[in-house]
Amino acid sequence: MVSLSFSPKISSKNLLIAPVFFHKKKLTGIGVKGIDALIEERVKEKDFSGHEGETLARFPERSGMPSEIVFVSLGNGEKLTHAKVLSSLAKALRVAQHHKKQAISIFVPKQMNQFGQAIGETLEMTNYQPAKFKTGKEKSSLAKHAIKTCVLITRDKKLRESVKKGQTIGDTTNDVRDWVNAPPNVATPEFMEEKVREIGKQNGYKVTVLKKKELEKLGMGLLLAVNRGSAKEARLLIYEYRPAGSEKIQPIVLVGKGIIFDSGGYNLKPSGYIENMHLDMAGAAAVAGMGQLLTKLKIKHPVIGVMPITENCIDATATKPSEIVISYSGKTVEITNTDAEGRLVLADAIAYAVKQYKPRYVIDIATLTGACMVALGEQFAGVLGNDRELIKSLKKSGRATDDLLWELPLHPAFSKAMKGEISDLQNSEPGRYAGASKGAAFIKEFIGKAKWAHLDIAGPAYTTMPKAYEQKRATGFGLRLFAHFLEHLK
């Protein structure tokens, strides 16, 4: 975590990040005469247009001033949002990292005082380094680009708490990224179990771990069917967060898909698609990460985190296409495609959670379908469900945190398409269209009367086109969205 301090004065030692505002061709500087003169001069010379996120590095040779200043425009100061601060400030931090400046200062103008959380999140998320397995000179070289200390130039004493909160959220997002980026020989089912147990111990949660014998007794045929080709046991990991005074409140259940590695099973994934399939546990990682934050954020609602964990591998005992399996709910499912495994493990986990915890809401999060990625790309996750207010609240939290959601249809025709010919359901159907909606329609069959939303994060969970505060690979998508949703839930 970046070491943070606060000061009312600008230091001449650190690289200074100076946010400016530009509206209707009018520049608003930071209110420090010499520094403002530098940027005003560049605007007159048309070296700086002031569009949102634009940066300009200057190296003034004047006594009493920072030797290096990075100006960054946040556009119209009256229309600032959390997402705009994240993105614009991250671009300035990238300039500091490029110049290997490990000690920086950030001037915080009054327009940014209400966005302390965004400042803290950006510091941590922009500073993340995914290359954890580098050694030698390359590792040392990468370390030189990390920001180690930051001084916030401000007189607002309230800012300290919100920035620290943002750092906590950003740091936890980085933990989620680490787990998703880790190869499957590191982030094993045992690894995830250990993490959840550790989170439970640190926060005083009740943790339940159901393994093969317990899963067989419960009749979780779908989760076990996916697990059959793996040498490692499946697990259903559960933590229970129940704050004081919430005994009579229905819990929020978060269910995260935890496929440690997805080979596709007998419907084997081809080259070009299989190499990154350690990412298929991003949903479970987000739910586990939320477990780290609940106590720290003092969430008032009880929250149950449920994570079905398994590999989807191939051996002589692996589930074959055309097999019919009995689910925890009792419904029979024909396995028409072993690569449509995520909906299977979610179905058993959700049906169990609904029966066991009688939740107010069930929200599942999963890297479920390539179809969703084709439809929405890497910037948006798909959201589907059976409750308008829940979907509306989740979309609002998505806009607030920049974990963006786009609603997809859940039409009765899609449920009809998932009906089996010789069984209650089939886990995939041969049509090419509306794959994300049909995947959600399958899960819907196991919801019962619970209010439910499904987040298909196949696109934004693991990116090739990172936002300013992201890096290629895992993004930690969903964690900040959940934090905002739970904090603002009435």
Side-chain angles (χ1 to χ4, degrees):
M1 191 178 287
V2 177
S3 178
L4 199 65
S5 60
F6 296 79
S7 174
K9 296 181 180 180
I10 295 173
S11 168
S12 59
K13 296 179 181 179
N14 293 356
L15 177 145
L16 175 68
I17 292 176
V20 298
F21 300 94
F22 210 87
H23 182 52
K24 294 182 178 179
K25 298 184 179 180
K26 184 178 179 181
L27 174 73
T28 303
I30 67 172
V32 178
K33 191 174 180 180
I35 294 175
D36 285 350
L38 287 174
I39 191 65
E40 287 167 0
E41 179 184 306
R42 293 301 92 203
V43 170
K44 287 180 182 178
E45 294 295 325
K46 297 184 178 180
D47 290 337
F48 189 81
S49 63
H51 65 260
E52 189 179 299
E54 182 181 4
T55 61
L56 180 69
R58 307 305 298 162
F59 306 94
E61 297 179 359
R62 303 179 192 178
S63 62
M65 288 183 68
S67 59
E68 295 164 284
I69 303 172
V70 178
F71 294 98
V72 58
S73 174
L74 276 78
N76 185 350
E78 296 178 1
K79 294 185 178 181
L80 270 188
T81 64
H82 187 99
K84 288 180 180 180
V85 174
L86 280 177
S87 180
S88 296
L89 185 56
K91 290 174 182 176
L93 293 172
R94 292 287 182 221
V95 177
Q97 289 171 331
H98 176 74
H99 289 284
K100 300 180 182 179
K101 298 300 175 181
Q102 297 187 321
I104 66 168
S105 298
I106 301 174
F107 186 91
V108 185
K110 62 182 181 180
Q111 296 95 325
M112 288 176 62
N113 283 344
Q114 62 179 307
F115 296 103
Q117 182 177 327
I119 295 170
E121 287 180 12
T122 312
L123 275 172
E124 298 306 323
M125 293 192 296
T126 308
N127 213 35
Y128 178 72
Q129 176 51 256
K132 301 293 183 183
F133 300 94
K134 293 281 189 182
T135 62
K137 290 182 179 179
E138 281 195 85
K139 182 179 180 179
S140 300
S141 177
L142 289 171
K144 292 176 182 178
H145 292 274
I147 295 168
K148 292 185 177 179
T149 64
C150 176
V151 180
L152 293 185
I153 312 303
T154 179
R155 296 182 184 276
D156 188 340
K157 295 180 180 179
K158 296 179 181 179
L159 195 66
R160 184 183 300 266
E161 186 177 339
S162 60
V163 174
K164 288 286 188 181
K165 175 184 174 183
Q167 281 192 288
T168 298
I169 293 171
D171 192 49
T172 307
T173 302
N174 291 346
D175 285 341
V176 173
R177 288 163 148 180
D178 275 346
W179 302 338
V180 179
N181 281 331
N185 61 320
V186 174
T188 60
E190 294 87 349
F191 172 92
M192 290 304 296
E193 178 184 337
E194 184 181 326
K195 287 296 176 187
V196 172
R197 287 191 185 278
E198 187 180 300
I199 290 165
K201 186 176 181 180
Q202 289 173 349
N203 294 281
Y205 304 159
K206 178 184 176 182
V207 171
T208 303
V209 178
L210 303 175
K211 295 186 182 179
K212 186 175 181 179
K213 287 183 179 179
E214 294 93 340
L215 297 174
E216 287 175 339
K217 285 181 182 179
L218 288 167
M220 291 201 177
L222 300 184
L223 174 54
L224 290 168
V226 176
N227 179 246
R228 262 171 41 197
S230 173
K232 299 180 182 293
E233 281 190 66
R235 290 155 170 77
L236 190 66
L237 307 178
I238 303 167
Y239 65 73
E240 299 181 35
Y241 167 75
R242 298 185 184 275
S246 69
E247 292 81 5
K248 295 182 180 180
I249 301 175
Q250 286 179 284
I252 310 301
V253 169
L254 304 177
V255 184
K257 174 186 171 184
I259 303 297
I260 295 298
F261 183 80
D262 182 17
S263 70
Y266 275 106
N267 293 104
L268 184 68
K269 290 181 183 290
S271 295
Y273 293 89
I274 197 171
E275 293 83 357
N276 292 329
M277 280 298 108
H278 58 281
L279 68 83
D280 220 13
M281 43 73 77
V287 173
M290 196 62 231
Q292 290 190 170
L293 285 179
L294 293 166
T295 304
K296 293 173 183 176
L297 298 181
K298 299 178 182 178
I299 298 298
K300 297 177 181 178
H301 303 271
V303 177
I304 311 298
V306 181
M307 293 144 280
I309 306 292
T310 181
E311 297 172 323
N312 183 24
C313 294
I314 311 170
D315 72 3
T317 65
T319 298
K320 305 166 188 66
S322 77
E323 287 193 28
I324 293 177
V325 183
I326 303 173
S327 68
Y328 171 81
S329 72
K331 293 182 180 180
T332 56
V333 178
E334 182 181 2
I335 310 299
T336 52
N337 188 324
T338 59
D339 194 25
E341 86 299 328
R343 64 200 65 180
L344 298 175
V345 302
L346 288 172
D348 270 355
I350 287 171
Y352 176 82
V354 169
K355 183 178 179 180
Q356 188 77 9
Y357 299 107
K358 298 175 176 55
R360 175 182 174 184
Y361 292 131
V362 176
I363 306 167
D364 79 77
I365 180 167
T367 47
L368 202 75
T369 66
C372 195
M373 192 173 181
V374 170
L376 302 178
E378 295 186 353
Q379 298 298 315
F380 287 85
V383 58
L384 308 93
N386 63 6
D387 187 81
R388 296 307 317 158
E389 285 303 311
L390 176 57
I391 291 173
K392 183 179 177 181
S393 295
L394 288 169
K395 288 172 69 177
K396 184 177 180 180
S397 291
R399 289 191 297 271
T401 59
D402 208 29
D403 274 359
L404 300 172
L405 302 179
W406 193 271
E407 188 173 1
L408 295 173
L410 194 57
H411 193 273
F414 302 139
S415 295
K416 185 177 179 180
M418 302 312 293
K419 296 296 183 183
E421 290 185 10
I422 58 173
S423 58
D424 297 327
L425 298 164
Q426 56 182 347
N427 77 322
S428 179
E429 59 91 42
R432 293 178 56 200
Y433 305 118
S437 292
K438 289 171 183 174
F442 179 88
I443 295 169
K444 183 174 179 287
E445 295 296 319
F446 300 86
I447 291 297
K449 295 181 179 179
K451 294 179 179 179
W452 159 74
H454 162 68
L455 308 185
D456 190 333
I457 63 170
Y462 198 87
T463 186
T464 60
M465 298 185 295
K467 298 172 184 174
Y469 54 86
E470 295 175 342
Q471 294 79 8
K472 286 184 179 181
R473 297 181 174 254
T475 64
F477 187 98
L479 178 78
R480 293 181 303 112
L481 185 156
F482 282 154
H484 185 278
F485 169 78
L486 290 168
E487 281 192 302
H488 292 82
L489 184 63
K490 293 180 180 178

